[in-house]
Amino acid sequence: MHRVLLLRRLYSSVPPSRRLSQSAAVAADRIDASVLPIMPPFDYTPPPYLGPRAAEIVRKRSEFLSPSISYLYKNPLNIVDGKMQYLFDEDGRRYLDAFGGIATVSCGHCHPDIVEAIINQTKRLQHPTVLYLNHAVADFAEALASKFPGDLKVVFFTNSGTEANELAMMIARVYTGCHDIISVRNAYHGNAAGSMGATAQSNWKFNVIQTGMHHALNPDQYRGIFGSAGEKYAKDVEEIIDFGTSGRVAGFISEAIQGVGGVMELAPGYLPAVYRTIKKAGGLFIADEVQAGFARTGSHFWGFEAHGVVPDIVTSAKGAGNGIPIGAVVTTPEIARVLTQRCYFNTFGGNPVCTAAGHAVLKVIEKENLQENALVVGSYLKDQLKALQDKHDIIGDVRGRGLMLGVELVTDRQQKTPAKTEILHAMETMKDMGVLVGKGGFYGNVFRITPPLCFSKEDADFFLDVMDIALSKI
């Protein structure tokens, strides 16, 4: 009883924007209040929310939206406000967003510079067809192209990562005259028919059978049969070409770090070996940077750069617009010319509002040194997560780069048995204490830690304290 009273006293003394949720106060009854983490201070209070409550929104969603939509938590959060690395629910309670960065937000929720760019452009012009000129589109294309190595300098704008990957695969097929494309098992490339076929997550909802699509052995350093020997995994691509195709392919598509697949960084040496094989077969390499791109890995602006390769086509989206729907395909002038043989047109891809947002994102990343922050804070967070691994047997693996990190939970380290139920309990406990984190991986047992790039060391410490407590309660 004394612990409950102490907890209530602590709860009532904290300003509303820093409080735990009511459900957290109940959940925290199982936690020693003297070690209950307090969120770092943040100088922002959202305006009062007067809209419908969570229960009413759930009712409407269940009646009018797709039944395939799922929720992260037993009691879904009604998020009504956001500022930088924090989100606020219908009662004004603040949550540290350790996941939304990969979803859309690279620079922080409602970043003032990006909001201003969107508003200013919206006031002037929202949507002329690309058959007219507008400087916002060309300016962002030039700025984006400057971030790429080699001859990657021609940009096609799309509305999403799915659309970008669909376009990239079509370009590869038109350019090579081949239909066969190889992707990596456990990957995720989108939600349209072609990109779902490339996704290759067997037994998952994303896989759709597509002709000409081949799935190579995943170079999984944690569960794979060859460990970190990337070139051994690459042999499977050779065999697919030798025995599964005519000897030629249109291309190979891969993430440098599998996001939905559980923040799985491809084994060293894999991509260079595959590139050589694909080139011999006349194909193009497509680097899917939808999740790892835009400085998220810290060490490099693009994930593929850490592997010492230069792709033929690069796709990006999500954080490119900091919440605004925009994607891009970047390739060489030679490859880009093949679309003059087809009637390709995109009504909204590259509209002035979205490109103004994208250009503002690049400026903010540079102005606020967010790539360096991703490296410094991400490296610190990864080191501390490894320390937690020494403390908690349920942590089987810690991996990733920068602010794209994964923590895989297992009930048996030797057998690597996925802790599928345990991770759900941990996520609920972390949410109750004010931290939102994602999950993924083939078995759904991997924490996906992908916050906005403005995530601070103080945020990392709070996150670590919360995860430590959550794992101790399993």
Side-chain angles (χ1 to χ4, degrees):
M1 179 61 69
H2 173 72
R3 187 169 63 186
V4 174
L5 292 174
L6 180 61
L7 175 60
R8 289 174 178 168
R9 191 177 304 124
L10 173 66
Y11 182 80
S12 63
S13 68
V14 178
S17 64
R18 294 181 61 192
R19 289 179 184 173
L20 306 176
S21 64
Q22 291 287 356
S23 58
V26 176
D29 184 30
R30 303 188 303 272
I31 300 169
D32 184 352
S34 66
V35 296
L36 196 65
I38 296 296
M39 199 177 297
F42 189 64
D43 188 20
Y44 175 76
T45 300
Y49 173 69
L50 303 177
R53 305 289 292 182
E56 174 64 11
I57 298 172
V58 168
R59 184 193 67 77
K60 289 183 178 180
R61 282 174 61 136
S62 64
E63 184 174 355
F64 299 111
L65 295 180
S66 167
S68 66
I69 295 176
S70 59
Y71 306 107
L72 275 177
Y73 304 104
K74 292 179 181 178
N75 297 311
L77 288 174
N78 181 18
I79 298 297
V80 302
D81 208 304
K83 183 66 69 175
M84 303 309 289
Q85 65 268 47
Y86 296 104
L87 292 170
F88 299 82
D89 71 8
E90 59 191 15
D91 295 313
R93 299 177 187 117
R94 180 160 59 105
Y95 297 86
L96 178 63
D97 184 5
F99 179 51
I102 205 68
T104 53
V105 180
S106 53
C107 302
H109 295 280
C110 300
H111 191 288
D113 290 5
I114 301 170
V115 170
E116 182 180 16
I118 294 168
I119 291 174
N120 289 342
Q121 183 58 55
T122 303
K123 287 179 178 179
R124 292 294 302 271
L125 187 66
Q126 296 179 45
H127 175 63
T129 171
V130 292
L131 298 176
Y132 300 118
L133 301 180
N134 185 274
H135 76 90
V137 184
D139 289 348
F140 180 41
E142 179 184 32
L144 183 60
S146 72
K147 293 294 185 180
F148 287 93
D151 207 25
L152 293 164
K153 60 179 64 172
V154 180
V155 182
F156 296 89
F157 287 119
T158 66
N159 302 289
S160 68
T162 291
E163 194 176 7
N165 283 330
E166 292 281 340
L167 176 58
M169 289 188 286
M170 184 186 78
I171 291 174
R173 283 167 165 159
V174 174
Y175 181 80
T176 62
C178 297
H179 186 67
D180 292 290
I181 286 179
I182 300 173
S183 65
V184 179
R185 295 175 192 168
N186 199 53
Y188 174 72
H189 297 295
N191 278 308
S195 52
M196 289 173 83
T199 289
Q201 291 172 324
S202 301
N203 302 321
W204 279 31
K205 63 181 179 181
F206 301 114
N207 187 239
V208 172
I209 302 300
Q210 292 284 309
T211 60
M213 198 66 70
H214 308 270
H215 304 138
L217 189 65
N218 183 28
D220 180 344
Q221 299 184 69
Y222 180 59
R223 294 179 179 274
I225 58 174
F226 299 124
S228 298
E231 292 193 8
K232 291 185 178 180
Y233 293 104
K235 290 290 184 182
D236 190 47
V237 176
E238 289 186 31
E239 293 180 1
I240 288 173
I241 294 172
D242 290 341
F243 303 107
T245 74
S246 62
R248 297 186 67 239
V249 293
F252 171 84
I253 183 169
S254 175
E255 306 157 274
I257 301 178
Q258 295 175 344
V260 175
V263 193
M264 187 66 65
E265 192 169 12
L266 306 188
Y270 177 76
L271 286 184
V274 169
Y275 283 15
R276 292 191 293 270
T277 298
I278 294 298
K279 287 300 179 183
K280 288 179 183 178
L284 301 180
F285 175 73
I286 303 168
D288 181 338
E289 292 289 327
V290 171
Q291 296 193 32
F294 280 84
R296 176 154 296 279
T297 62
S299 58
H300 301 83
F301 200 85
W302 306 107
F304 66 79
E305 293 177 297
H307 293 264
V309 294
V310 178
D312 301 292
I313 304 173
V314 181
T315 61
S316 64
K318 294 193 185 295
N322 206 59
I324 287 289
I326 188 169
V329 175
V330 182
T331 188
T332 67
E334 177 187 352
I335 295 171
R337 276 193 291 271
V338 302
L339 280 194
T340 61
Q341 303 170 20
R342 298 289 189 274
C343 182
Y344 173 76
F345 183 84
N346 195 313
T347 302
F348 292 104
N351 70 78
V353 174
C354 290
T355 51
H359 200 177
V361 166
L362 290 181
K363 292 176 181 178
V364 169
I365 289 174
E366 183 174 351
K367 173 185 173 183
E368 300 183 1
N369 297 315
L370 294 183
Q371 182 174 338
E372 180 181 359
N373 188 68
L375 176 62
V376 173
V377 176
S379 298
Y380 170 79
L381 180 55
K382 186 176 182 180
D383 287 343
Q384 297 305 308
L385 287 169
K386 286 184 175 292
L388 278 187
Q389 184 179 14
D390 293 335
K391 180 178 179 180
H392 297 285
D393 289 341
I394 196 170
I395 298 180
D397 193 33
V398 175
R399 52 184 180 252
R401 284 175 176 262
L403 288 175
M404 188 172 182
L405 301 174
V407 175
E408 180 155 355
L409 301 189
V410 294
T411 57
D412 186 304
R413 282 189 177 179
Q414 296 300 316
Q415 299 296 322
K416 300 179 181 177
T417 310
K420 294 182 285 186
T421 301
E422 290 79 1
I423 195 171
L424 297 177
H425 292 309
M427 288 179 66
E428 291 284 349
T429 304
M430 292 178 72
K431 181 260 292 181
D432 289 340
M433 288 190 285
V435 170
L436 307 181
V437 65
K439 73 179 182 71
F442 184 82
Y443 301 102
N445 66 317
V446 182
F447 281 119
R448 295 172 65 195
I449 306 166
T450 53
L453 302 186
C454 55
F455 205 72
S456 69
K457 183 177 178 294
E458 291 72 25
D459 294 322
D461 285 334
F462 175 69
F463 176 90
L464 290 159
D465 288 343
V466 168
M467 178 174 277
D468 185 15
I469 293 174
L471 294 181
S472 71
K473 297 301 167 186
I474 296 177

